[in-house]
Amino acid sequence: MLKNVSLKKYNTFGIDVKADWLAEIDSVEQVLTIIDDLHDMPKLILGEGSNVLFLNDFKGIVLHNKIKGIKIIEETENDIIVDVNGGENWHEFVMWAVNNNYGGIENLALIPGKVGTAPMQNIGAYGAEVKDVIDRVYTIDMTTCAPKTFSKDACGFGYRHSVFKLPENKNKYFIHKVRFKLYKKGYQVNTTYGAIQNVLNRKNIMNPCLKDVAEAVIDIRQSKLPDPKITGNAGSFFKNPFVQLEKFKNLQKTYPDIPFYKTENKNLVKIPAGWLIDRAGWKGKRFGDAGVHPKQALVLVNYGRATGKDIKNLADKIIADIQEKYNILLQPEVNFIDITNENH
Ligand code: FAD
Ligand code: EPU
């Protein structure tokens, strides 16, 4: 166990806070021992830190998930059931699937983070969501040490949401393994997302295989999103908001070019928060070392020495401005981590 450790390398925003303790977790048994030995200490489960914003030093113990292993459980002509331990890197798992010709997650290539965190916000990109291939999620209840398995239905998946993201469940269930169902024979790749099709057309690929789709997604992501190794960020800072159709039609009168996506509920449309923030004039704005990315207004960045509070102050200004300009309340996608002696 490491004591008084800097978390700068453990979060992609590169926020320089400290944790009282940090444990590298290689097995479920280790989680159980820590719960037993340190039951009173605040605990934070951490994957690759690509969706967190630290507001303070963390007065407790960070459990850094490194539980590795991929195991095929069942294979038929049409599909494959595979258990993946939570400490595996998500993108490496995607490439393992692609290289073995197992379909279903190729559109989710290059999303940072661990497999164990993927269910947390039901990661999604380029027309796919991880819920579509999740069969069940294996956890340890950190309050009782009991194992608890969530069926797909019990996970309550929605857009960037699951039961694990509910405030009362955060750091309650340690996700140590995820069971996936991936596809083999008869699987059709999904290239409906315009940008993927454009890349494939440019490369003259008519009948794309899994690898072609994954490579197209990687191309698009690398051209659009800042690399956290160079500029600290956590991807989209806010979720794309859902608004009532009525309200959207009113917005359209003022902003005829406003982009939108239809949703399953015909009375709700989803609007890209990036467009709202960009159109409100925030793109490229910088306050000290906290800024709005010059190419993608939905991504807040740390140019070096910003604190979590600097980033949060900027986010709060954006929320207030978007509320005032469009009467839309933006919700952060990023998880704020704020455990000090005072608020535990
Ligand atoms: P962390 O940041 O370590 O943790 C996130 C939250 O989950 C925290 O609250 C943590 O306490 C909790 N947690 C972590 N592990 C566990 C566990 N084992 N059990 C229970 N709780 C846990 N997301 C998308 O959906 N789509 C994208 O396209 C996308 N693009 C991104 C691009 C960039 C450049 C970056 C930096 C981020 C992007 N993200 C995207 C966000 C991020 O990659 C995902 O949310 C990812 O799943 C986070 O994984 P992580 O292991 O880094 O989680
Ligand atoms: N846009 C602007 N200005 C900007 C940014 C975007 O006008 O500065 C417009 C674009 O022109 C486009 C629309 O907004 O019309 C949507 O932009 P984009 O395709 O880049 O997607 P996004 O809505 O910003 C979402 C996800 C991403 C995911 C991509 C691809 C959310 C909150 N974000 O981004 O997920 O990778 O779609 O599917 O849903 C993440 O969650 O961290 C993340 C990066």
Side-chain angles (χ1 to χ4, degrees):
M1 218 149 65
L2 301 169
K3 192 180 174 193
N4 202 22
V5 55
S6 167
L7 294 178
K8 193 170 157 70
K9 281 194 306 195
Y10 292 86
N11 72 101
T12 60
F13 254 124
I15 302 295
D16 197 4
V17 288
K18 282 188 171 153
D20 285 351
W21 299 96
L22 184 139
E24 303 284 11
I25 304 294
D26 296 311
S27 67
V28 170
E29 291 69 38
Q30 234 178 317
V31 179
L32 298 176
T33 310
I34 287 177
I35 305 171
D36 252 1
D37 292 353
L38 305 169
H39 43 87
D40 281 339
M41 198 184 272
K43 293 174 192 71
L44 172 70
I45 310 164
L46 196 64
E48 291 180 11
S50 65
N51 210 16
V52 289
L53 182 67
F54 285 104
L55 298 178
N56 298 101
D57 286 338
F58 186 75
K59 296 287 168 193
I61 178 163
V62 173
L63 279 69
H64 188 217
N65 185 8
K66 295 177 89 173
I67 310 177
K68 294 285 173 70
I70 300 185
K71 190 172 169 196
I72 294 173
I73 302 298
E74 205 182 294
E75 191 163 0
T76 67
E77 211 186 340
N78 297 319
D79 50 51
I80 179 168
I81 305 289
V82 57
D83 279 355
V84 186
N85 283 336
E88 288 284 345
N89 173 270
W90 173 260
H91 176 68
E92 283 171 19
F93 169 50
V94 171
M95 293 322 287
W96 173 86
V98 165
N99 290 329
N100 284 290
N101 237 355
Y102 305 140
I105 49 177
E106 58 285 352
N107 295 47
L108 304 177
L110 215 64
I111 297 182
K114 300 286 192 193
V115 168
T117 329
M120 172 82 181
Q121 71 159 11
N122 178 26
I123 55 169
Y126 300 100
E129 284 185 325
V130 75
K131 74 170 171 51
D132 299 334
V133 290
I134 286 182
D135 177 75
R136 69 192 69 169
V137 172
Y138 295 89
T139 75
I140 298 292
D141 182 332
M142 307 262 286
T143 56
T144 62
C145 273
K148 183 167 175 175
T149 304
F150 290 76
S151 67
K152 179 191 190 132
D153 282 350
C155 289
F157 289 126
Y159 163 67
R160 295 297 189 271
H161 184 73
S162 76
V163 288
F164 307 109
K165 211 170 175 180
L166 294 171
E168 64 271 27
N169 288 341
K170 274 192 182 174
N171 295 300
K172 179 170 182 202
Y173 298 107
F174 186 112
I175 300 171
H176 65 89
K177 189 166 74 184
V178 183
R179 177 166 290 184
F180 297 92
K181 182 179 183 180
L182 303 176
Y183 298 96
K184 292 168 67 182
K185 204 173 142 199
Y187 175 76
Q188 287 289 324
V189 290
N190 170 7
T191 59
T192 47
Y193 205 94
I196 297 184
Q197 201 52 61
N198 293 344
V199 174
L200 295 172
N201 290 346
R202 204 178 62 223
K203 292 184 174 173
N204 273 324
I205 298 172
M206 300 302 161
N207 291 308
C209 64
L210 299 177
K211 202 159 180 229
D212 294 327
V213 175
E215 280 173 1
V217 168
I218 292 170
D219 272 12
I220 302 163
R221 295 185 69 95
Q222 284 176 336
S223 70
K224 274 194 165 188
L225 290 163
D227 180 351
K229 288 196 192 96
I230 299 166
T231 312
N233 76 90
S236 301
F237 196 90
F238 302 101
K239 297 187 209 177
N240 286 333
F242 288 72
V243 299
Q244 295 287 336
L245 189 60
E246 192 73 11
K247 181 166 168 177
F248 174 70
K249 285 187 173 158
N250 280 330
L251 278 168
Q252 245 182 345
K253 285 181 195 148
T254 321
Y255 309 100
D257 59 335
I258 186 169
F260 66 99
Y261 310 103
K262 288 184 180 159
T263 69
E264 278 164 22
N265 179 339
K266 64 178 175 9
N267 288 317
L268 289 177
V269 294
K270 193 160 77 165
I271 303 181
W275 185 90
L276 296 170
I277 299 168
D278 185 353
R279 183 67 189 243
W282 287 94
K283 194 142 94 175
K285 283 254 165 87
R286 182 171 172 170
F287 301 81
D289 271 358
V292 180
H293 193 259
K295 285 207 241 159
Q296 224 303 0
L298 196 49
V299 178
L300 303 190
V301 292
N302 173 11
Y303 285 107
R305 288 164 171 254
T307 63
K309 284 179 180 157
D310 293 336
I311 304 281
K312 183 167 183 299
N313 285 342
L314 173 57
D316 286 343
K317 283 188 196 142
I318 294 172
I319 290 172
D321 190 44
I322 298 304
Q323 172 86 62
E324 195 190 312
K325 290 205 167 86
Y326 311 97
N327 192 21
I328 291 176
L329 182 63
L330 291 182
Q331 306 282 351
E333 177 190 298
V334 169
N335 301 279
F336 297 123
I337 312 292
D338 188 15
I339 297 214
T340 60
N341 283 330
E342 298 86 62
N343 61 18
H344 174 57

